[in-house]
């Protein structure tokens, strides 16, 4: 019987091709959409972890309260010993001290006079130690466009975009004009040895990367750090694990009244990232629900149209002795075949597009010119185990549901009227 | 009577609610049809022919009275048992052929056997035998839209007899055929009746069909006006159709 139904489906394109294409398109769209949302979410998490506050971050309570303002006057002191403690207590995480700072970069001409200036978003990490976790977390080596990484004190990196804007090439010396931890003006010269492009517009627009020791010296922050970041060694952010770690850390210092006592927070708590991720999850769920609803209605409609077209066939089958339940079952079996075919093809197509988006990405940097959000300027999808089922199951369910609803009319058909109906 | 009749109705009444009252479609119809008969219910439109065929074919139930078909009381059959009775023992032929357009001739005839759950080899044997009986074995792979009206109705006859039913109900089987095709189709049915012993019961007001009947039951306003054994004017000896 299944072969019989299959032959009918294959030959009658109106009841196979159109529904299959609807399912295929819907499923493929869902898979791509899901992959895109997961990719965006993953990018957000990765960029915020790498360039923001890691998977967990430790700041002074005072600094944490105004972290958006980068208040280095409220930074942690004695950061190195706390860093060592964290490394011992939580070895599953890479720990690193960072200083963020703002200032002006001044580029001199041949006579030593200011040729040009620009505001700069500075980040200082341990660059000189080959064992520094930042080689893994920030990975400046992979972002290098020109030159090399700093190998000695007094060397710095500029973002490629900023370097081009300022017409600075590796080898040139620039001056940073900023404020120390104690609020006084400071200037320091650095030799630019390389340029970087991380692929995150908000960072690439005007970043300068220094070694931590140089920044401490320039900003008068001996032993200090704005933030200590913890980054899971496998690179995967796990909210529950991070929250447990932060809760333990904070509980141990709950009784300390010092406003400069360290406090730990998770990635989700940074810059409203939690709300963004929740929003992404909600939008993702809503889109999939909407897809199932729309596709069910379309397929229900297609089923009704097919039922009208096949009114005579159903009547004949009932007249010659097919049970209503059997006829209804055969409709559902047809829907299952269409749903399976459409869902398999749709999942395949969706995965292919998502894979291309994952591997090659889509350049969206023109859309991010003034963005402050830490997100990659190359839109990449991410295929997860859920990608295989996220479109497949709704595709199958919608087809089945559409056929199940449209086929109910079979049970309302009165056999007593079949002779009359079959005359037309 | 020694053998139990294939069909036996007693005081069969069928009414339909119309407006504030009831329209009487069948009015105390009592009939017996024995196995092997080639009989027809004749009468003008609205006389109750199709209603009678519907009840005998277990597509409908009587308002009052009883209808026993192949030992089953139609008025007490549920949907499932009625479907099973039609599936196993009753073949239907309709005036518009009602072949499934996406299937081949072979598959159309095969369909009732699929419902019976017969194995593929048995189905193939029976389908080819049924098509040979109507002279269409060579058109087994054709689609319905490649057939003439007469050929389509012969395929429908094959579909009706392929499961070796005890009873074939034919509702105006020649209504959509020209004279030549009508005679060819009727000739085929006469031959099948003779060769297989299948009982044929027609509903018709077509004179060509009436000419082939061996028993003519006339309904007028839902009641039996005449029930007579007649000598067919066509096809009795299986001669070629005129």
């Amino acid at each position: 019987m299944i072969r019989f139904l299959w032959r009918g489906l294959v030959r009658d394109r109106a009841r196979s091709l159109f529904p299959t294409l609807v399912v295929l398109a819907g499923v493929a769209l869902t898979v791509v959409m899901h992959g895109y949302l997961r990719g965006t979410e993953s990018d957000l998490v990765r960029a915020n972890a790498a360039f923001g506050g890691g998977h967990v971050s430790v700041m002074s309570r005072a600094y944490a309260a105004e972290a958006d303002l980068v208040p280095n006057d409220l930074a942690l002191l004695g950061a190195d010993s706390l860093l060592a403690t964290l490394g011992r207590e939580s070895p599953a995480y890479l720990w690193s001290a960072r200083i963020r700072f703002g200032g002006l970069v001044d580029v001199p001409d041949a006579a030593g006079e200011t040729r040009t200036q620009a505001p700069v978003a500075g980040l200082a990490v341990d660059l000189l130690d080959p064992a520094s976790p930042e080689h893994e977390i920030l990975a400046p080596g992979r972002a290098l466009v020109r030159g090399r990484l700093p190998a000695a004190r007094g060397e710095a990196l500029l973002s490629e975009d900023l370097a081009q804007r300022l017409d600075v090439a590796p080898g040139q010396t620039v001056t940073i004009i900023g404020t120390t931890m104690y609020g006084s003006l400071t200037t320091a010269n650095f030799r630019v040895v390389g340029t970087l492009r991380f692929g995150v517009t908000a960072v690439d627009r005007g970043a300068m990367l220094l070694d931590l020791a140089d920044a401490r010296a320039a900003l008068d922050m001996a032993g200090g750090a704005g933030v200590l970041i913890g980054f899971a060694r496998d690179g995967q952010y796990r909210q529950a694990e991070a929250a447990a770690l932060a809760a333990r850390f904070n509980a141990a210092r709950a009784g300390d009244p010092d406003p400069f006592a360290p406090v730990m927070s998770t990635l989700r708590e940074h810059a409203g990232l939690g709300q963004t991720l929740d929003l992404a999850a909600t939008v993702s769920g809503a889109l999939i629900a909407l897809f199932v609803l729309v596709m069910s209605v379309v397929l229900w409609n297609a089923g009704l149209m097919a039922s009208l077209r096949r009114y005579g066939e159903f009547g004949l089958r009932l007249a010659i002795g097919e049970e209503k339940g059997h006829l209804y079952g055969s409709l559902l079996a047809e829907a299952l075949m269409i749903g399976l075919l459409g869902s398999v093809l749709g999942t395949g197509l969706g995965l292919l597009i998502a894979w291309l988006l994952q591997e090659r990405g889509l350049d969206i940097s023109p859309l991010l010119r003034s963005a402050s959000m830490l997100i990659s300027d190359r839109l990449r999808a991410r295929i997860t185990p859920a990608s295989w089922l996220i479109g497949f199951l709704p595709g199958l369910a919608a087809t089945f549901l559409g056929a199940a609803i449209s086929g109910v009319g079979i049970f309302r058909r009165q056999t007593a009227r079949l002779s009359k109906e079959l005359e037309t | 009577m020694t053998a139990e009749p294939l069909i036996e109705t007693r005081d069969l009444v069928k009414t339909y609610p119309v407006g504030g009252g009831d329209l009487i479609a069948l009015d105390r119809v009592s009939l017996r049809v024995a196995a092997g008969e080639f009989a027809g219910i004749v009468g003008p439109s609205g006389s109750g022919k199709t209603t009678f065929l519907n009840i005998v074919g277990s597509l409908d139930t009587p308002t009052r009275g009883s209808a026993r078909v192949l030992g089953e009381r139609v008025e007490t059959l549920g949907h499932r048992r009625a479907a099973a009775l039609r599936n196993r023992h009753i073949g239907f032929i309709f005036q518009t052929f009602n072949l499934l357009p996406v299937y081949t001739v072979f598959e159309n005839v095969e369909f009732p056997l699929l419902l019976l759950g017969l194995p593929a080899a048995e189905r193939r044997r029976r389908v080819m035998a049924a098509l040979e009986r109507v002279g269409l074995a060579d058109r087994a792979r054709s689609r319905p839209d490649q057939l003439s009206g007469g050929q389509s109705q012969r395929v429908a006859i094959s579909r009706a007899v392929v499961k070796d039913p005890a009873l074939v109900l034919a509702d105006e089987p020649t209504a959509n055929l020209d004279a030549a095709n009508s005679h060819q189709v009727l000739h085929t049915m006469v031959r099948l009746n003779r060769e297989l012993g299948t009982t044929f019961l027609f509903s018709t007001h077509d004179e060509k069909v009436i000419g082939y009947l061996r028993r003519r039951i006339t309904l007028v306003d839902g009641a039996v006006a005449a029930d007579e054994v007649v000598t067919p004017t066509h096809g009795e000896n299986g001669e070629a159709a005129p």
Side-chain angles (χ1 to χ4, degrees):
Chain A
M1 192 69 177
I2 295 293
R3 280 177 62 189
F4 188 83
L5 294 174
W6 178 251
R7 282 199 293 260
L9 274 179
V10 170
R11 290 173 195 164
D12 188 357
R13 290 185 179 179
R15 73 184 212 239
S16 54
L17 190 62
F18 173 67
T20 304
L21 287 178
V22 169
V23 177
L24 187 153
V27 169
L29 203 64
T30 305
V31 173
V32 173
M33 196 99 77
H34 176 264
Y36 161 67
L37 286 169
R38 288 291 86 83
T40 306
E41 184 186 300
S42 174
D43 264 355
L44 262 177
V45 168
R46 193 186 56 78
N48 277 274
F51 301 103
H55 293 151
V56 288
S57 60
V58 177
M59 308 172 213
S60 73
R61 285 173 186 163
Y63 188 104
E66 299 177 46
D68 290 345
L69 303 175
V70 196
N72 281 333
D73 54 325
L74 307 174
L76 285 168
L77 293 176
D80 293 338
S81 88
L82 181 55
L83 200 63
T85 306
L86 287 167
R88 275 195 311 277
E89 289 178 354
S90 305
Y93 281 70
L94 297 168
W95 296 97
S96 177
R98 286 182 174 183
I99 295 173
R100 305 176 72 82
F101 61 95
L104 276 178
V105 60
D106 183 284
V107 184
D109 59 16
E113 298 299 325
T114 297
R115 173 166 62 82
T116 182
Q117 285 184 333
V120 70
L123 177 64
V125 300
D126 183 0
L127 287 174
L128 300 182
D129 182 356
S132 165
E134 292 292 356
H135 291 299
E136 197 170 322
I137 300 170
L138 205 57
R142 287 205 292 270
L144 207 57
V145 178
R146 289 184 285 165
R148 59 169 174 80
L149 294 182
R153 296 283 299 270
E155 294 183 341
L157 298 165
L158 277 185
S159 74
E160 173 67 15
D161 294 353
L162 180 63
Q164 283 187 9
R165 220 166 46 242
L166 298 175
D167 194 20
V168 172
Q172 277 186 255
T173 298
V174 298
T175 304
I176 288 292
I177 305 167
T179 53
T180 67
M181 184 178 181
Y182 302 103
S184 50
L185 186 73
T186 181
T187 59
N189 291 338
F190 292 95
R191 199 160 76 92
V192 176
V193 294
T195 62
L196 301 165
R197 183 173 288 135
F198 289 104
V200 176
T201 302
V203 175
D204 291 336
R205 197 183 300 127
M208 182 174 200
L209 199 59
L210 302 182
D211 178 65
L212 185 68
D214 281 337
R216 280 176 170 168
L219 304 175
D220 201 6
M221 292 176 68
V227 61
L228 307 182
I229 67 160
F231 201 87
R233 284 183 185 276
D234 62 3
Q236 298 300 311
Y237 176 63
R238 289 172 289 274
Q239 168 59 21
E241 179 187 296
L245 177 61
R248 272 200 314 277
F249 182 90
N250 294 334
R253 290 153 181 87
D256 189 344
D258 183 359
F260 292 95
V263 63
M264 187 182 286
S265 58
T266 65
L267 178 61
R268 272 183 68 88
E269 296 166 274
H270 302 162
L273 186 66
Q275 288 97 311
T276 308
L277 294 178
D278 289 345
L279 183 69
T282 307
V283 168
S284 169
L287 279 175
I288 288 161
L290 189 70
F291 153 68
V292 173
L293 185 73
V294 169
M295 206 159 69
S296 293
V297 171
V298 171
L299 290 169
W300 170 31
N301 195 35
L304 283 175
M305 301 283 280
S307 296
L308 284 176
R309 241 171 31 85
R310 298 170 72 191
Y311 199 70
E313 177 195 332
F314 293 163
L316 175 83
R317 287 167 63 173
L318 290 172
I320 65 178
E322 186 168 4
E323 280 180 29
K324 288 178 174 178
H326 188 272
L327 180 51
Y328 187 66
S330 75
L331 261 191
L332 294 185
E334 284 184 12
L336 202 65
M337 289 187 237
I338 293 289
L340 265 175
L341 184 67
S343 297
V344 166
L345 293 177
T347 300
L349 180 66
L351 285 173
L352 178 68
I353 297 170
W355 178 79
L356 287 172
L357 266 177
Q358 178 178 276
E359 295 303 309
R360 299 183 182 182
L362 208 65
D363 184 11
I364 56 165
S365 55
L367 305 174
L368 298 172
R369 277 196 190 108
S370 57
S372 58
M373 187 183 258
L374 289 173
I375 186 166
S376 169
D377 55 14
R378 189 155 279 269
L379 188 155
R380 287 185 191 279
R382 183 167 162 242
I383 296 174
T384 66
S387 306
W388 294 81
L389 294 176
I390 199 76
F392 184 85
L393 292 180
L396 205 57
T399 323
F400 206 71
L401 201 64
I405 297 170
S406 62
V408 166
I410 289 171
F411 291 100
R412 298 204 194 104
R413 198 89 180 258
Q414 293 178 2
T415 53
R417 297 187 53 80
L418 289 178
S419 299
K420 282 286 171 207
E421 289 167 2
L422 291 172
E423 282 175 13
T424 55
Chain B
M1 292 291 286
T2 49
E4 189 180 347
L6 202 71
I7 302 167
E8 183 177 22
T9 66
R10 284 185 185 168
D11 295 326
L12 198 63
V13 174
K14 182 68 184 182
T15 61
Y16 296 107
V18 175
D22 283 338
L23 173 74
I24 300 171
L26 290 176
D27 187 7
R28 286 169 293 159
V29 175
S30 296
L31 283 172
R32 291 160 73 94
V33 177
E37 285 204 47
F38 199 82
I41 312 292
V42 301
S45 291
S47 60
K49 305 186 299 290
T50 299
T51 303
F52 183 79
L53 237 61
N54 274 345
I55 293 173
V56 170
S58 74
L59 291 169
D60 201 357
T61 52
T63 308
R64 286 194 301 280
S66 73
R68 185 180 287 275
V69 178
L70 293 148
E72 298 275 8
R73 290 177 67 99
V74 174
E75 62 272 22
T76 60
L77 286 178
H79 278 298
R80 285 192 166 197
R81 286 182 58 204
L85 176 67
R86 293 197 298 274
N87 187 15
R88 293 195 187 108
H89 302 299
I90 302 175
F92 287 88
I93 300 169
F94 303 96
Q95 58 175 282
T96 49
F97 327 137
N98 288 294
L99 301 181
L100 305 179
V102 298
Y103 292 105
T104 63
V105 163
F106 182 95
E107 289 160 349
N108 266 280
V109 179
E110 184 189 25
F111 186 66
L113 304 181
L114 279 169
L115 295 179
L116 288 172
L118 296 182
E122 175 68 4
R123 291 201 305 269
R124 176 161 190 80
R125 187 188 66 74
R126 285 204 194 191
V127 171
M128 291 314 294
L131 286 173
E132 271 166 23
R133 280 191 203 109
V134 298
L136 288 173
D138 59 332
R139 303 305 301 269
R141 288 169 181 263
S142 300
R143 294 282 180 82
D145 59 7
Q146 297 169 320
L147 303 177
S148 69
Q151 287 173 323
S152 295
Q153 194 60 304
R154 278 151 61 198
V155 173
I157 293 169
S158 286
R159 183 177 61 195
V161 300
V162 72
K163 58 191 176 187
D164 292 333
L167 174 65
V168 170
L169 300 174
D171 189 9
E172 307 280 9
T174 54
N176 284 308
L177 300 177
D178 59 22
N181 274 312
S182 294
H183 284 296
Q184 197 176 24
V185 161
L186 288 162
H187 177 75
T188 302
M189 290 198 266
V190 168
R191 190 161 46 77
L192 290 171
N193 167 254
R194 193 181 63 237
E195 290 174 4
L196 304 174
T198 308
T199 306
F200 278 79
L201 184 62
F202 294 82
S203 152
T204 187
H205 51 40
D206 183 348
E207 285 301 327
K208 295 189 290 297
V209 178
I210 293 169
Y212 284 79
L213 299 177
R214 294 201 297 269
R215 181 181 173 190
R216 190 168 59 206
I217 301 156
T218 308
L219 285 184
V220 176
D221 293 335
V224 177
D227 182 356
E228 52 204 330
V229 174
V230 291
T231 303
T233 54
H234 295 298
E236 177 69 0
N237 300 311
E239 72 274 21

